[in-house]
Amino acid sequence: RKKLKSLLKEKAGDILQGPENASLSRDKVGKVSIVAEKEGEIIDYKATVKQLNDDLNDNWKHEDFEEQVVIKTEKPEVTKADLKDMTDELGAYSTDAGGGERWTNLKTGSSMLNGIILQPGEELSVYDSTAPYDEEHGYAEGTAYENGQVVPSYGGGICQVATTLYNAVIRAELEITMRFNHSMLVHYVEPSMDAAIAEGAKDFRFVNNTEAPIYIEGYTYGGKIYFNLYGEEYRSADRKVTYESETLETIDPTTELTADPEKAFGSMEQIQSAHTGYKAKLWKIVTENGEQVSKEEVNNSYYQMTPNKYKVGVKTSNAEASSAMYTAIANNDLNQVYVVLNQYGG
């Protein structure tokens, strides 16, 4: 039964036009309207499996035969009525998406969040809503940060999905219940404006702390990823919220050298690129009627510095040259490595 259900999904799952939830649409001038829901048809897997089982047991003459799958009508989960009070834009944000495998992952991740309705008091976990990050669920291999290094990872780029949504959420002034910064600075937002995702370690979570449902719209278009949050506007028209990133400290990268006794004297291989470290904080600034009424700290973030790492060849029969090169390496002095190389040659 399990194998048959899997086979039906593989061979016939995309043939039928399933139900379509009601959604929000924005025209060229920014006006939001509701797109009505549509009923659809899906395979009734349970009934089809039972029907085939019965036919094989009771009717099969041990010859070729055809079996018709059982089709049923299914109603959409979200109707036009569900969205009637969710047409005010509460918060919106976009970031540049880049290309390659990363684009695939941003498209997949944003689509999994698109259309979610968050009821008052309900919490959303970005990790739970977008995982697992594997090929079967539409993700490609990209890159991610791990222990201060850039590594290949399925779903690489999902943190940009979380980051873009995070910036829409804080502009809607929803309650953040969990947020982590990246281990190293990212390029698509300013320091302290990011939100990282890591299986079993980091998640981005927030609560709908308004008194009405909130609709999440997420999509990719024109080289960017977008998130828009819709609901009932609960703030006065003269209230404006902005966010300001402040860099508290910049930590310049160092150099780390290791000796490679198997490589020719003076040869160099860079095994890790440097990243500048930062300490930063994010400020929330509220104005009413053009006058600042508050400035509060939203978060503190620390992005670690990673050094330039090189392997330096020290293989030589010249004991004096070898000793000088080992000393330069022990001092992590790249300039001295070049001095030694020029003095003793390669």
Side-chain angles (χ1 to χ4, degrees):
R1 290 168 184 260
K2 187 176 180 180
K3 287 183 178 180
L4 177 57
K5 184 175 180 179
S6 176
L7 180 67
L8 287 169
K9 283 186 175 181
E10 178 186 345
K11 299 296 185 183
D14 295 332
I15 293 175
L16 302 174
Q17 182 64 48
E20 294 182 13
N21 287 331
S23 60
L24 298 180
S25 176
R26 189 202 304 261
D27 63 21
K28 293 181 179 179
V29 296
K31 183 179 179 181
V32 176
S33 59
I34 301 174
V35 179
E37 72 278 6
K38 294 180 181 178
E39 287 189 348
E41 291 184 327
I42 63 170
I43 297 172
D44 189 330
Y45 294 106
K46 185 176 181 180
T48 300
V49 170
K50 182 180 185 305
Q51 174 182 277
L52 179 58
N53 186 69
D54 292 345
D55 285 348
L56 286 171
N57 286 328
D58 302 332
N59 304 319
W60 187 32
K61 305 301 181 183
H62 300 274
E63 299 171 347
D64 291 346
F65 74 102
E66 292 183 357
E67 188 80 19
Q68 296 292 326
V69 297
V70 180
I71 305 298
K72 66 179 180 180
T73 300
E74 185 165 276
K75 295 183 180 295
E77 295 179 355
V78 181
T79 67
K80 191 172 182 178
D82 294 328
L83 303 183
K84 66 182 179 65
D85 295 323
M86 285 185 275
T87 55
D88 295 329
E89 184 183 278
L90 304 180
Y93 203 76
S94 66
T95 56
D96 291 327
E101 292 82 3
R102 187 179 191 85
W103 177 260
T104 298
N105 295 334
L106 298 184
K107 186 176 181 179
T108 299
S110 60
S111 70
M112 290 185 173
L113 293 161
N114 181 55
I116 289 178
I117 295 178
L118 208 59
Q119 298 296 332
E122 188 176 359
E123 183 182 53
L124 183 136
S125 159
V126 171
Y127 177 80
D128 290 345
S129 300
T130 57
Y133 308 123
D134 53 33
E135 190 173 9
E136 182 181 351
H137 292 87
Y139 291 100
E141 189 174 51
T143 57
Y145 288 156
E146 183 178 300
N147 299 322
Q149 297 190 41
V150 178
V151 297
S153 172
Y154 263 93
I158 195 66
C159 289
Q160 188 170 350
V161 174
T163 292
T164 309
L165 179 57
Y166 172 66
N167 279 274
V169 167
I170 60 177
R171 282 158 178 78
E173 298 184 81
L174 304 183
E175 179 186 351
I176 308 298
T177 52
M178 183 179 291
R179 173 263 172 191
F180 295 89
N181 61 270
H182 288 75
S183 58
M184 298 184 293
L185 197 69
V186 296
H187 67 277
Y188 42 83
V189 290
E190 295 181 61
S192 274
M193 289 187 175
D194 60 318
I197 301 290
E199 183 177 358
K202 296 180 179 181
D203 193 4
F204 169 44
R205 296 173 177 262
F206 64 95
V207 171
N208 176 6
N209 57 336
T210 75
E211 296 181 357
I214 286 176
Y215 178 91
I216 300 175
E217 180 185 43
Y219 61 95
T220 53
Y221 177 76
K224 289 189 173 185
I225 176 172
Y226 297 83
F227 275 102
N228 306 306
L229 304 182
Y230 298 100
E232 283 188 62
E233 184 56 78
Y234 60 99
R235 300 161 294 186
S236 61
D238 60 8
R239 177 186 172 88
K240 303 296 180 186
V241 180
T242 57
Y243 290 87
E244 182 180 290
S245 169
E246 179 185 1
T247 298
L248 305 174
E249 183 181 349
T250 301
I251 306 162
D252 293 328
T254 57
T255 298
E256 290 185 11
L257 306 177
T258 56
D260 189 340
E262 302 301 320
K263 294 291 179 66
F265 181 79
S267 65
M268 280 190 291
E269 177 189 1
Q270 186 172 13
I271 57 176
Q272 178 177 288
S273 297
H275 287 81
T276 302
Y278 293 90
K279 290 182 180 179
K281 67 171 55 177
L282 186 64
W283 294 98
K284 175 183 178 180
I285 302 169
V286 179
T287 60
E288 293 179 0
N289 294 316
E291 297 291 329
Q292 181 174 313
V293 295
S294 67
K295 181 178 181 179
E296 61 183 70
E297 183 181 309
V298 178
N299 67 56
N300 267 284
S301 301
Y302 169 68
Y303 305 92
Q304 68 187 60
M305 175 276 295
T306 58
N308 267 313
K309 290 186 177 182
Y310 296 90
K311 278 187 175 182
V312 182
V314 293
K315 188 175 182 179
T316 178
S317 58
N318 186 329
E320 184 179 342
S322 177
S323 176
M325 187 63 81
Y326 270 106
T327 298
I329 293 170
N331 292 331
N332 285 313
D333 191 334
L334 191 59
N335 289 330
Q336 187 61 30
V337 167
Y338 288 120
V339 169
V340 172
L341 183 59
N342 289 331
Q343 182 176 354
Y344 294 99

